[in-house]
Amino acid sequence: MALVVIGTAGCSAGSDEPAPQSSSVSATTHAPTAAPPVPQSSDGIDIERIEYLGPADADPAENWANLYLPAGDHEDGSVPLVTIVHGGGWESRAGAEQFDEMARDLAGRGLAVYNVEYRRVGTGGGWPTTFHDVARALDHVPTMAETHPQLSIDDELVIGHSAGAQLAVWVGTRHRLEDDEVGSRPAFVPSRVVSISGPLDMRYAVNHGNGRVIKQILGGTPEQVPGRYASVDPIQNLDPQLPVILFHGLADDDVNPDNSRHYTAAVRAAGGTAELHLVDGETHTSLVHRQSPAYQQIIERLTAVARAELEKLRDE
């Protein structure tokens, strides 16, 4: 797959965008005591709350997801499931609610969307809790499909933005981990992943603008905790059978676009499929907002990827 560059007009981050992932912003230490309300359903879209951990393991304020469903009756296994993992530097300053718009836009195109919240630094997360939470959220998918038989989970897409992109790509390859590693022996593995503005080369990112947040979530530098980086750094955990589609704004000052370039090159060198979209004029967060000139193109590509046959994606 050749490099794709989508030309757009400049779009700066606005006040309604997710908090930018910046190594100069400190994580809040004020954890919420309850989960936010379930978003209101709208015409054609039903929304319900999912609790993916049992009471003994869960923090009710953090271990939940919102499931967006196309309204009406559907045949069993007919509605493709998409999972969204939000970013925010693995910190509590940003949450799943920032992706309500994208979830609604995808559900409006006939997809089910599982928008996951998890514990982050400042809300009980960090190493290894954050990674356990996201792994368990994905492992809950088969159980969720039992109670929602319209879901099609055989070829699930996981989308991640920023730190969530690292988590999304990681959950797509954790079946290759050793049994004693965090997140190993998954009950469910997605078949395709989309990374938006992701730090997918964590050893590079720790020295190029993201050092504070990466050292914070992993508990040290690559030299201090090499095993942790080896377990969760996407570029160190390649699966040539997993198609990965990447979007990265060329005006991203928070996560260097070279992260996506490095990861794409590594996947292709390993014989896998990586489709890279470098987007002119877009910042770290602008790509995931309706105001972006590229947003509708991204939504259309996400929809197509969610519905595509796996072998076709691998051959592109």
PDB file of all heavy atoms in Angstrom, residues 13-43:
ATOM      1  N   ALA A  13      -6.465  23.339  17.066  1.00  0.00           N
ATOM      2  CA  ALA A  13      -7.250  22.753  18.147  1.00  0.00           C
ATOM      3  C   ALA A  13      -8.143  23.808  18.764  1.00  0.00           C
ATOM      4  O   ALA A  13      -7.716  24.907  19.072  1.00  0.00           O
ATOM      5  CB  ALA A  13      -6.327  22.166  19.215  1.00  0.00           C
ATOM      6  N   GLY A  14      -9.406  23.455  18.969  1.00  0.00           N
ATOM      7  CA  GLY A  14     -10.358  24.355  19.587  1.00  0.00           C
ATOM      8  C   GLY A  14     -10.666  23.935  21.004  1.00  0.00           C
ATOM      9  O   GLY A  14     -10.259  22.888  21.473  1.00  0.00           O
ATOM     10  N   SER A  15     -11.466  24.751  21.708  1.00  0.00           N
ATOM     11  CA  SER A  15     -11.753  24.476  23.108  1.00  0.00           C
ATOM     12  C   SER A  15     -12.628  23.261  23.297  1.00  0.00           C
ATOM     13  O   SER A  15     -12.693  22.707  24.382  1.00  0.00           O
ATOM     14  CB  SER A  15     -12.444  25.692  23.737  1.00  0.00           C
ATOM     15  OG  SER A  15     -13.662  25.965  23.064  1.00  0.00           O
ATOM     16  N   ASP A  16     -13.319  22.812  22.239  1.00  0.00           N
ATOM     17  CA  ASP A  16     -14.194  21.660  22.376  1.00  0.00           C
ATOM     18  C   ASP A  16     -13.495  20.369  22.009  1.00  0.00           C
ATOM     19  O   ASP A  16     -14.114  19.326  21.930  1.00  0.00           O
ATOM     20  CB  ASP A  16     -15.436  21.829  21.496  1.00  0.00           C
ATOM     21  CG  ASP A  16     -15.088  21.982  20.029  1.00  0.00           C
ATOM     22  OD1 ASP A  16     -13.934  22.334  19.721  1.00  0.00           O
ATOM     23  OD2 ASP A  16     -15.978  21.766  19.205  1.00  0.00           O
ATOM     24  N   GLU A  17     -12.187  20.393  21.810  1.00  0.00           N
ATOM     25  CA  GLU A  17     -11.458  19.196  21.446  1.00  0.00           C
ATOM     26  C   GLU A  17     -10.958  18.478  22.688  1.00  0.00           C
ATOM     27  O   GLU A  17     -10.875  19.054  23.768  1.00  0.00           O
ATOM     28  CB  GLU A  17     -10.272  19.555  20.550  1.00  0.00           C
ATOM     29  CG  GLU A  17     -10.724  20.101  19.207  1.00  0.00           C
ATOM     30  CD  GLU A  17      -9.559  20.439  18.316  1.00  0.00           C
ATOM     31  OE1 GLU A  17      -8.441  20.536  18.829  1.00  0.00           O
ATOM     32  OE2 GLU A  17      -9.777  20.615  17.120  1.00  0.00           O
ATOM     33  N   PRO A  18     -10.598  17.174  22.551  1.00  0.00           N
ATOM     34  CA  PRO A  18     -10.011  16.478  23.680  1.00  0.00           C
ATOM     35  C   PRO A  18      -8.749  17.178  24.141  1.00  0.00           C
ATOM     36  O   PRO A  18      -8.050  17.826  23.365  1.00  0.00           O
ATOM     37  CB  PRO A  18      -9.683  15.087  23.107  1.00  0.00           C
ATOM     38  CG  PRO A  18     -10.534  14.956  21.891  1.00  0.00           C
ATOM     39  CD  PRO A  18     -10.704  16.337  21.361  1.00  0.00           C
ATOM     40  N   ALA A  19      -8.437  17.026  25.418  1.00  0.00           N
ATOM     41  CA  ALA A  19      -7.216  17.626  25.936  1.00  0.00           C
ATOM     42  C   ALA A  19      -6.024  17.101  25.173  1.00  0.00           C
ATOM     43  O   ALA A  19      -5.883  15.900  24.978  1.00  0.00           O
ATOM     44  CB  ALA A  19      -7.067  17.290  27.422  1.00  0.00           C
ATOM     45  N   PRO A  20      -5.138  17.970  24.680  1.00  0.00           N
ATOM     46  CA  PRO A  20      -3.984  17.501  23.931  1.00  0.00           C
ATOM     47  C   PRO A  20      -3.048  16.708  24.812  1.00  0.00           C
ATOM     48  O   PRO A  20      -2.905  16.981  25.995  1.00  0.00           O
ATOM     49  CB  PRO A  20      -3.319  18.801  23.450  1.00  0.00           C
ATOM     50  CG  PRO A  20      -3.758  19.834  24.424  1.00  0.00           C
ATOM     51  CD  PRO A  20      -5.141  19.440  24.841  1.00  0.00           C
ATOM     52  N   GLN A  21      -2.421  15.707  24.204  1.00  0.00           N
ATOM     53  CA  GLN A  21      -1.443  14.924  24.943  1.00  0.00           C
ATOM     54  C   GLN A  21      -0.134  15.685  24.931  1.00  0.00           C
ATOM     55  O   GLN A  21       0.566  15.757  23.941  1.00  0.00           O
ATOM     56  CB  GLN A  21      -1.278  13.557  24.293  1.00  0.00           C
ATOM     57  CG  GLN A  21      -0.294  12.675  25.025  1.00  0.00           C
ATOM     58  CD  GLN A  21      -0.260  11.316  24.408  1.00  0.00           C
ATOM     59  OE1 GLN A  21      -1.281  10.766  24.056  1.00  0.00           O
ATOM     60  NE2 GLN A  21       0.908  10.748  24.274  1.00  0.00           N
ATOM     61  N   SER A  22       0.218  16.271  26.026  1.00  0.00           N
ATOM     62  CA  SER A  22       1.419  17.085  26.099  1.00  0.00           C
ATOM     63  C   SER A  22       2.186  16.730  27.347  1.00  0.00           C
ATOM     64  O   SER A  22       1.621  16.568  28.416  1.00  0.00           O
ATOM     65  CB  SER A  22       1.042  18.572  26.131  1.00  0.00           C
ATOM     66  OG  SER A  22       2.165  19.357  26.459  1.00  0.00           O
ATOM     67  N   SER A  23       3.495  16.604  27.207  1.00  0.00           N
ATOM     68  CA  SER A  23       4.304  16.224  28.354  1.00  0.00           C
ATOM     69  C   SER A  23       4.393  17.333  29.384  1.00  0.00           C
ATOM     70  O   SER A  23       4.948  17.145  30.449  1.00  0.00           O
ATOM     71  CB  SER A  23       5.715  15.840  27.884  1.00  0.00           C
ATOM     72  OG  SER A  23       6.313  16.919  27.203  1.00  0.00           O
ATOM     73  N   SER A  24       3.830  18.511  29.099  1.00  0.00           N
ATOM     74  CA  SER A  24       3.874  19.602  30.063  1.00  0.00           C
ATOM     75  C   SER A  24       2.618  19.683  30.910  1.00  0.00           C
ATOM     76  O   SER A  24       2.512  20.525  31.785  1.00  0.00           O
ATOM     77  CB  SER A  24       4.058  20.937  29.327  1.00  0.00           C
ATOM     78  OG  SER A  24       2.936  21.203  28.510  1.00  0.00           O
ATOM     79  N   VAL A  25       1.637  18.813  30.657  1.00  0.00           N
ATOM     80  CA  VAL A  25       0.382  18.850  31.388  1.00  0.00           C
ATOM     81  C   VAL A  25       0.385  17.763  32.443  1.00  0.00           C
ATOM     82  O   VAL A  25       0.625  16.599  32.147  1.00  0.00           O
ATOM     83  CB  VAL A  25      -0.817  18.655  30.439  1.00  0.00           C
ATOM     84  CG1 VAL A  25      -2.117  18.688  31.219  1.00  0.00           C
ATOM     85  CG2 VAL A  25      -0.818  19.743  29.377  1.00  0.00           C
ATOM     86  N   SER A  26       0.106  18.110  33.681  1.00  0.00           N
ATOM     87  CA  SER A  26       0.110  17.143  34.766  1.00  0.00           C
ATOM     88  C   SER A  26      -1.223  16.428  34.847  1.00  0.00           C
ATOM     89  O   SER A  26      -2.276  16.995  34.582  1.00  0.00           O
ATOM     90  CB  SER A  26       0.376  17.845  36.108  1.00  0.00           C
ATOM     91  OG  SER A  26       1.641  18.459  36.092  1.00  0.00           O
ATOM     92  N   ALA A  27      -1.190  15.165  35.264  1.00  0.00           N
ATOM     93  CA  ALA A  27      -2.418  14.403  35.442  1.00  0.00           C
ATOM     94  C   ALA A  27      -3.128  14.857  36.701  1.00  0.00           C
ATOM     95  O   ALA A  27      -2.515  15.141  37.714  1.00  0.00           O
ATOM     96  CB  ALA A  27      -2.097  12.913  35.543  1.00  0.00           C
ATOM     97  N   THR A  28      -4.456  14.921  36.633  1.00  0.00           N
ATOM     98  CA  THR A  28      -5.215  15.238  37.822  1.00  0.00           C
ATOM     99  C   THR A  28      -5.178  14.078  38.801  1.00  0.00           C
ATOM    100  O   THR A  28      -5.082  12.922  38.408  1.00  0.00           O
ATOM    101  CB  THR A  28      -6.682  15.553  37.462  1.00  0.00           C
ATOM    102  OG1 THR A  28      -7.394  15.809  38.672  1.00  0.00           O
ATOM    103  CG2 THR A  28      -7.338  14.392  36.748  1.00  0.00           C
ATOM    104  N   THR A  29      -5.251  14.377  40.072  1.00  0.00           N
ATOM    105  CA  THR A  29      -5.272  13.332  41.090  1.00  0.00           C
ATOM    106  C   THR A  29      -6.649  13.220  41.727  1.00  0.00           C
ATOM    107  O   THR A  29      -6.816  12.539  42.723  1.00  0.00           O
ATOM    108  CB  THR A  29      -4.233  13.625  42.184  1.00  0.00           C
ATOM    109  OG1 THR A  29      -4.512  14.913  42.754  1.00  0.00           O
ATOM    110  CG2 THR A  29      -2.833  13.621  41.613  1.00  0.00           C
ATOM    111  N   HIS A  30      -7.645  13.901  41.149  1.00  0.00           N
ATOM    112  CA  HIS A  30      -8.992  13.889  41.710  1.00  0.00           C
ATOM    113  C   HIS A  30      -9.839  12.887  40.939  1.00  0.00           C
ATOM    114  O   HIS A  30     -10.377  13.182  39.882  1.00  0.00           O
ATOM    115  CB  HIS A  30      -9.613  15.288  41.645  1.00  0.00           C
ATOM    116  CG  HIS A  30      -8.813  16.322  42.386  1.00  0.00           C
ATOM    117  ND1 HIS A  30      -8.726  16.345  43.754  1.00  0.00           N
ATOM    118  CD2 HIS A  30      -8.034  17.336  41.942  1.00  0.00           C
ATOM    119  CE1 HIS A  30      -7.948  17.355  44.139  1.00  0.00           C
ATOM    120  NE2 HIS A  30      -7.509  17.961  43.052  1.00  0.00           N
ATOM    121  N   ALA A  31      -9.944  11.680  41.474  1.00  0.00           N
ATOM    122  CA  ALA A  31     -10.696  10.634  40.794  1.00  0.00           C
ATOM    123  C   ALA A  31     -12.188  10.833  41.009  1.00  0.00           C
ATOM    124  O   ALA A  31     -12.625  11.170  42.109  1.00  0.00           O
ATOM    125  CB  ALA A  31     -10.276   9.265  41.325  1.00  0.00           C
ATOM    126  N   PRO A  32     -13.002  10.635  39.976  1.00  0.00           N
ATOM    127  CA  PRO A  32     -14.448  10.739  40.152  1.00  0.00           C
ATOM    128  C   PRO A  32     -14.963   9.610  41.032  1.00  0.00           C
ATOM    129  O   PRO A  32     -14.346   8.551  41.147  1.00  0.00           O
ATOM    130  CB  PRO A  32     -14.978  10.621  38.720  1.00  0.00           C
ATOM    131  CG  PRO A  32     -13.913   9.886  37.975  1.00  0.00           C
ATOM    132  CD  PRO A  32     -12.617  10.301  38.602  1.00  0.00           C
ATOM    133  N   THR A  33     -16.090   9.839  41.668  1.00  0.00           N
ATOM    134  CA  THR A  33     -16.671   8.831  42.548  1.00  0.00           C
ATOM    135  C   THR A  33     -17.753   8.018  41.864  1.00  0.00           C
ATOM    136  O   THR A  33     -18.210   7.017  42.413  1.00  0.00           O
ATOM    137  CB  THR A  33     -17.261   9.503  43.797  1.00  0.00           C
ATOM    138  OG1 THR A  33     -18.239  10.469  43.385  1.00  0.00           O
ATOM    139  CG2 THR A  33     -16.163  10.198  44.595  1.00  0.00           C
ATOM    140  N   ALA A  34     -18.188   8.440  40.687  1.00  0.00           N
ATOM    141  CA  ALA A  34     -19.216   7.713  39.951  1.00  0.00           C
ATOM    142  C   ALA A  34     -19.007   7.925  38.467  1.00  0.00           C
ATOM    143  O   ALA A  34     -18.437   8.930  38.034  1.00  0.00           O
ATOM    144  CB  ALA A  34     -20.609   8.192  40.361  1.00  0.00           C
ATOM    145  N   ALA A  35     -19.465   6.968  37.690  1.00  0.00           N
ATOM    146  CA  ALA A  35     -19.376   7.097  36.240  1.00  0.00           C
ATOM    147  C   ALA A  35     -20.309   8.201  35.761  1.00  0.00           C
ATOM    148  O   ALA A  35     -21.338   8.480  36.386  1.00  0.00           O
ATOM    149  CB  ALA A  35     -19.751   5.773  35.584  1.00  0.00           C
ATOM    150  N   PRO A  36     -19.982   8.853  34.657  1.00  0.00           N
ATOM    151  CA  PRO A  36     -20.888   9.871  34.113  1.00  0.00           C
ATOM    152  C   PRO A  36     -22.175   9.227  33.627  1.00  0.00           C
ATOM    153  O   PRO A  36     -22.227   8.010  33.394  1.00  0.00           O
ATOM    154  CB  PRO A  36     -20.085  10.469  32.957  1.00  0.00           C
ATOM    155  CG  PRO A  36     -19.131   9.396  32.563  1.00  0.00           C
ATOM    156  CD  PRO A  36     -18.777   8.678  33.833  1.00  0.00           C
ATOM    157  N   PRO A  37     -23.232  10.003  33.477  1.00  0.00           N
ATOM    158  CA  PRO A  37     -24.493   9.433  32.986  1.00  0.00           C
ATOM    159  C   PRO A  37     -24.332   8.835  31.594  1.00  0.00           C
ATOM    160  O   PRO A  37     -23.465   9.244  30.819  1.00  0.00           O
ATOM    161  CB  PRO A  37     -25.442  10.642  32.959  1.00  0.00           C
ATOM    162  CG  PRO A  37     -24.808  11.667  33.827  1.00  0.00           C
ATOM    163  CD  PRO A  37     -23.336  11.443  33.750  1.00  0.00           C
ATOM    164  N   VAL A  38     -25.180   7.883  31.298  1.00  0.00           N
ATOM    165  CA  VAL A  38     -25.198   7.316  29.951  1.00  0.00           C
ATOM    166  C   VAL A  38     -25.690   8.393  28.985  1.00  0.00           C
ATOM    167  O   VAL A  38     -26.686   9.067  29.261  1.00  0.00           O
ATOM    168  CB  VAL A  38     -26.127   6.091  29.893  1.00  0.00           C
ATOM    169  CG1 VAL A  38     -26.155   5.507  28.482  1.00  0.00           C
ATOM    170  CG2 VAL A  38     -25.682   5.040  30.896  1.00  0.00           C
ATOM    171  N   PRO A  39     -25.002   8.606  27.868  1.00  0.00           N
ATOM    172  CA  PRO A  39     -25.479   9.606  26.902  1.00  0.00           C
ATOM    173  C   PRO A  39     -26.900   9.282  26.436  1.00  0.00           C
ATOM    174  O   PRO A  39     -27.306   8.119  26.392  1.00  0.00           O
ATOM    175  CB  PRO A  39     -24.478   9.491  25.747  1.00  0.00           C
ATOM    176  CG  PRO A  39     -23.269   8.857  26.343  1.00  0.00           C
ATOM    177  CD  PRO A  39     -23.763   7.951  27.419  1.00  0.00           C
ATOM    178  N   GLN A  40     -27.622  10.307  26.084  1.00  0.00           N
ATOM    179  CA  GLN A  40     -28.990  10.106  25.629  1.00  0.00           C
ATOM    180  C   GLN A  40     -29.010   9.456  24.253  1.00  0.00           C
ATOM    181  O   GLN A  40     -28.229   9.815  23.368  1.00  0.00           O
ATOM    182  CB  GLN A  40     -29.735  11.436  25.572  1.00  0.00           C
ATOM    183  CG  GLN A  40     -30.069  12.018  26.932  1.00  0.00           C
ATOM    184  CD  GLN A  40     -31.011  13.206  26.823  1.00  0.00           C
ATOM    185  OE1 GLN A  40     -31.150  13.809  25.768  1.00  0.00           O
ATOM    186  NE2 GLN A  40     -31.660  13.543  27.927  1.00  0.00           N
ATOM    187  N   SER A  41     -29.917   8.495  24.099  1.00  0.00           N
ATOM    188  CA  SER A  41     -30.126   7.907  22.780  1.00  0.00           C
ATOM    189  C   SER A  41     -30.701   8.967  21.851  1.00  0.00           C
ATOM    190  O   SER A  41     -31.299   9.952  22.290  1.00  0.00           O
ATOM    191  CB  SER A  41     -31.072   6.710  22.879  1.00  0.00           C
ATOM    192  OG  SER A  41     -30.513   5.687  23.687  1.00  0.00           O
ATOM    193  N   SER A  42     -30.491   8.770  20.567  1.00  0.00           N
ATOM    194  CA  SER A  42     -31.005   9.711  19.576  1.00  0.00           C
ATOM    195  C   SER A  42     -31.703   8.932  18.481  1.00  0.00           C
ATOM    196  O   SER A  42     -31.727   7.693  18.495  1.00  0.00           O
ATOM    197  CB  SER A  42     -29.859  10.551  19.002  1.00  0.00           C
ATOM    198  OG  SER A  42     -28.854   9.720  18.451  1.00  0.00           O
ATOM    199  N   ASP A  43     -32.286   9.643  17.537  1.00  0.00           N
ATOM    200  CA  ASP A  43     -33.013   8.981  16.459  1.00  0.00           C
ATOM    201  C   ASP A  43     -32.107   7.974  15.754  1.00  0.00           C
ATOM    202  O   ASP A  43     -31.043   8.327  15.232  1.00  0.00           O
ATOM    203  CB  ASP A  43     -33.516  10.010  15.441  1.00  0.00           C
ATOM    204  CG  ASP A  43     -34.647  10.864  15.994  1.00  0.00           C
ATOM    205  OD1 ASP A  43     -35.228  10.463  17.016  1.00  0.00           O
ATOM    206  OD2 ASP A  43     -34.930  11.925  15.404  1.00  0.00           O
TER     207      ASP A  43
END
